[in-house]
Amino acid sequence: MGLNRYGPALSGPISSGPADVAAAGSDSKPAEKTAFDIRLEKYDAAVKIKIIKEVRSFTDLGLKEAKELVEKVPAVLKKGLTKEEAAAIVEKLKELGASVVLE
């Protein structure tokens, strides 16, 4: 019958090319970040013990594990926190004299 010379049968909306893809991409908003990580960058040696105590308070680590984590800076202290939880912890660590980054 010769119908194959017209190409495959299409169903659904037909896009007119790259312009449709660009227009659809510009309408979508970038997703907001919901999970944050706390990274300890550096700290003053005089406040090391206070920082270890604070790290133990918001993690389930023992004294030895918390000490090892604090000593291997830069290190991620806690992952997957909400913005409110992470901000409270960052403020406490900054008050103690640590340099902390919220990722």
Side-chain angles (χ1 to χ4, degrees):
M1 292 186 34
L3 296 176
N4 59 357
R5 67 180 174 203
Y6 296 112
L10 299 174
S11 63
I14 300 173
S15 69
S16 63
D20 286 344
V21 174
S26 66
D27 292 341
S28 64
K29 296 179 182 177
E32 286 189 33
K33 191 171 181 179
T34 57
F36 295 90
D37 300 340
I38 299 174
R39 176 183 291 273
L40 178 65
E41 293 293 326
K42 61 183 177 178
Y43 59 89
D44 188 25
V47 295
K48 178 179 172 182
I49 295 172
K50 291 179 183 178
I51 293 173
I52 292 171
K53 287 181 182 180
E54 188 62 36
V55 169
R56 286 189 65 206
S57 72
F58 65 82
T59 61
D60 296 330
L61 299 176
L63 180 61
K64 181 180 177 185
E65 292 85 9
K67 180 179 180 275
E68 289 173 355
L69 183 63
V70 169
E71 287 177 344
K72 65 175 189 174
V73 292
V76 175
L77 299 178
K78 191 143 179 151
K79 294 182 180 183
L81 296 171
T82 63
K83 189 171 185 172
E84 294 81 24
E85 293 173 332
I89 293 171
V90 167
E91 285 300 317
K92 287 180 185 177
L93 289 171
K94 285 185 178 181
E95 286 175 8
L96 293 174
S99 174
V100 185
V101 176
L102 189 62
E103 297 179 334

